Amino acid sequence: MELCIIGSGYVGLVSGACFAEVGHTVICVDNDPRKVQSLQAGKIPIYEPGLEDLVHRNVGAKRLRFTQSIEEGVDASQVVFIAVPTPPQADGSVDLSFIERVAREIAGVLKDDYRVIVDKSTVPVKTGEKVADTIKRYNKSGCEFDVVSNPEFLREGCAVADLMNPDRVVIGSSSDRALALMKKVYEPFMAPILVTDINSAELIKHAANSFLALKISYANALSAICEASGADIEKVVDGIGADKRIGRHFLNAGLGYGGSCFPKDIAAFIAITDHLGMPFNLLKEVQRINADQKARFLKSIRDALWVLQDKKIAVWGLTFKPDTDDVRNSVPIDIVNELLKEGAQVSAYDPKGMEKAAELKLIEGARLAESPLDAVEGAEALIIATEWKEFAAVDLAEVKARMHTPLVFDGRNLFDPATMRGLGFTYRGIGRGRAA
Ligand code: NAD
């Protein structure tokens, strides 16, 4: 099939490459000229495992190309996906101006044959109706079309694997004609397809992300209870997660959730439910626990180091999770900035996130180290902020030798407390009893 994806970021680019990989012909559109030029030159603007090969292979096979022109994309395609940003506004509600603009632009170039317009961005329930109204209002050609909701569930860091092998594909539509085409798009993935009305599909995405955030906050709230009672959170979540009704995924205590999706999607769902007159207060508590987790971690650093002014602190990890270069809304970045604000000398290292952190000027004043060992040189404390596998493989004896004081705050419970103490570190994990 001929497909167009409008917005070639984490979702649009990876989806486009995966659709091409299964045999569709895909044209990815973006209004950022630098991004399109870079993609046309074979340079991939984001890091995602397996993505570079996938893009190069499909560009080479002439199944994938890039343009700035929505008209070129829409003209060439039966199905047009929208994957543009839906950022939060100050009150937590979603800024839908990107979606509205794209809907108008599509309307301006729709002509001739029937098209399916698919919303893949994360949007509030009832947005599909607004998109359909907008296209109807601005389209002068009378071209037939349907609007479909097809929320995306990929996880950054394993986006290619998630898209090639999804747990489920949600398609919200009341049009048999649109459904038939959407099923053809997804047929090669051999994944379970869940067909719903548009409103339910839109709601599924916010409800799913909110539930995952709730699981994380549940584990984090338990971690505080473990610290107060001397229990070990790792044992506790293993014990809970072994119950198939609960599951072990997303029950890891740490520094709290961050990134470009969870904080904004939970805030959005709260705003949506407030607007519907059905306030989802449980989610406000999820947000509170998340903020508290970061505050407790910073307090434990202050408790140990007292005044932070001029203290040398190493931070391993800047991205919001491992295997990505995404530093948007990253808890590690917040932590670095809190330390800088109190006058600490921060030396940070991240395997993939330093370029974007520097480009976006997110941690001005911190030194960007060349390696994990370079970061800990002379440090009075080491903070593990992202659980990159690379960090677990560093020679810990060398780390200790290079540090001024062997004090480790493990914000991701990457290391085993007994091993760390055995090596001579003063080790503080998350929720690992008083002694930890
Ligand atoms: P992104 O910022 O990485 O990419 C969006 C792209 O859209 C950018 O390249 C931008 O230049 C482009 N764009 C903006 N306006 C445009 C326009 N008028 N015409 C053409 N291109 C335009 O964003 P993302 O992370 O890919 O997220 C996109 C949507 O998908 C959001 O709603 C997000 O919530 C949702 N989502 C994201 C993820 C994720 O892990 N990143 C997962 C699931 C869903």
Side-chain angles (χ1 to χ4, degrees):
M1 295 180 78
E2 275 85 38
L3 311 178
C4 164
I5 321 264
I6 302 175
S8 306
Y10 282 89
V11 169
L13 180 60
V14 186
S15 304
C18 291
F19 284 143
E21 179 72 4
V22 299
H24 299 308
T25 303
V26 182
I27 180 158
C28 281
V29 182
D30 206 284
N31 68 351
D32 177 346
R34 275 195 323 159
K35 194 170 265 188
V36 174
Q37 279 154 17
S38 144
L39 285 163
Q40 284 170 338
K43 200 169 171 298
I44 315 300
I46 53 171
Y47 171 74
E48 194 57 54
L51 181 63
E52 191 165 1
D53 280 355
L54 200 66
V55 170
H56 289 162
R57 186 163 58 244
N58 285 287
V59 167
K62 301 210 177 318
R63 285 192 301 263
L64 181 61
R65 64 187 203 280
F66 305 99
T67 179
Q68 283 183 62
S69 161
I70 285 196
E71 182 161 19
E72 186 188 341
V74 173
D75 270 355
S77 311
Q78 298 157 279
V79 181
V80 178
F81 289 86
I82 303 173
V84 296
T86 47
Q89 308 194 91
D91 65 354
S93 66
V94 182
D95 173 0
L96 288 166
S97 60
F98 293 83
I99 300 275
E100 196 265 352
R101 177 172 163 195
V102 168
R104 271 191 287 130
E105 288 186 59
I106 292 173
V109 298
L110 263 188
K111 50 186 174 294
D112 309 325
D113 299 332
Y114 170 77
R115 299 282 198 305
V116 181
I117 316 299
V118 187
D119 177 35
K120 217 177 215 328
S121 295
T122 302
V123 293
V125 57
K126 289 175 166 306
T127 300
E129 290 172 9
K130 297 244 166 35
V131 169
D133 285 348
T134 304
I135 298 179
K136 225 172 274 164
R137 209 156 357 109
Y138 287 91
N139 177 236
K140 301 279 178 242
S141 76
C143 171
E144 286 186 90
F145 71 92
D146 276 307
V147 171
V148 166
S149 166
N150 172 220
E152 182 47 62
F153 300 97
L154 68 77
R155 293 163 299 171
E156 285 179 26
C158 47
V160 172
D162 283 350
L163 269 159
M164 293 306 290
N165 197 8
D167 288 345
R168 79 307 204 184
V169 172
V170 174
I171 303 176
S173 170
S174 49
S175 152
D176 290 341
R177 199 175 179 190
L179 273 175
L181 282 171
M182 288 302 290
K183 283 184 178 166
K184 237 173 115 186
V185 170
Y186 279 105
E187 203 173 64
F189 295 93
M190 292 185 294
I193 292 181
L194 180 69
V195 175
T196 70
D197 57 283
I198 299 190
N199 288 347
S200 302
E202 290 169 338
L203 202 71
I204 285 169
K205 175 64 190 179
H206 274 124
N209 271 7
S210 298
F211 191 76
L212 292 170
L214 182 145
K215 276 189 98 174
I216 294 172
S217 280
Y218 191 85
N220 282 335
L222 283 178
S223 76
I225 297 167
C226 287
E227 278 164 28
S229 63
D232 183 340
I233 187 68
E234 295 297 319
K235 303 271 175 356
V236 173
V237 290
D238 281 348
I240 300 169
D243 185 328
K244 289 194 184 68
R245 296 169 300 176
I246 297 172
R248 179 65 181 81
H249 294 295
F250 277 78
L251 275 182
N252 290 322
L255 297 177
Y257 59 78
S260 71
C261 288
F262 281 2
K264 92 170 165 66
D265 290 350
I266 281 67
F269 205 27
I270 289 171
I272 291 162
T273 54
D274 280 350
H275 183 72
L276 290 169
M278 287 287 149
F280 204 155
N281 291 329
L282 177 63
L283 296 183
K284 294 179 187 162
E285 190 58 14
V286 167
Q287 285 182 318
R288 194 199 58 75
I289 293 167
N290 201 54
D292 198 41
Q293 196 71 1
K294 192 165 62 183
R296 279 194 314 116
F297 186 71
L298 283 163
K299 182 176 177 304
S300 71
I301 295 169
R302 285 186 209 104
D303 285 350
L305 293 180
W306 195 17
V307 177
L308 298 187
Q309 181 74 38
D310 297 330
K311 299 269 159 70
K312 276 189 162 179
I313 301 179
V315 177
W316 283 359
L318 292 173
T319 53
F320 80 100
K321 64 185 283 192
D323 296 320
T324 179
D325 61 348
D326 199 346
V327 285
R328 294 177 291 180
N329 237 318
S330 158
V331 177
I333 297 270
D334 292 347
I335 285 175
V336 168
N337 281 312
E338 285 296 326
L339 300 175
L340 289 171
K341 217 160 60 190
E342 292 179 40
Q345 293 176 27
V346 179
S347 216
Y349 175 79
D350 188 280
K352 294 284 177 202
M354 294 202 291
E355 207 178 304
K356 289 234 159 91
E359 191 184 304
L360 299 169
K361 299 190 187 341
L362 293 181
I363 46 166
E364 283 189 302
R367 182 176 85 91
L368 295 178
E370 280 166 18
S371 66
L373 284 177
D374 179 34
V376 299
E377 200 68 63
E380 289 166 74
L382 163 63
I383 293 171
I384 293 146
T386 315
E387 65 277 35
W388 283 91
K389 279 201 190 81
E390 178 178 336
F391 299 153
V394 178
D395 177 351
L396 290 171
E398 185 63 23
V399 170
K400 180 165 176 275
R402 292 199 187 201
M403 289 180 77
H404 175 276
T405 324
L407 172 59
V408 174
F409 295 92
D410 186 351
R412 302 291 177 181
N413 288 349
L414 186 67
F415 293 110
D416 172 53
T419 309
M420 293 300 279
R421 286 193 203 104
L423 286 166
F425 287 97
T426 303
Y427 174 84
R428 303 206 202 290
I430 300 280
R432 313 208 73 177
R434 277 183 218 283

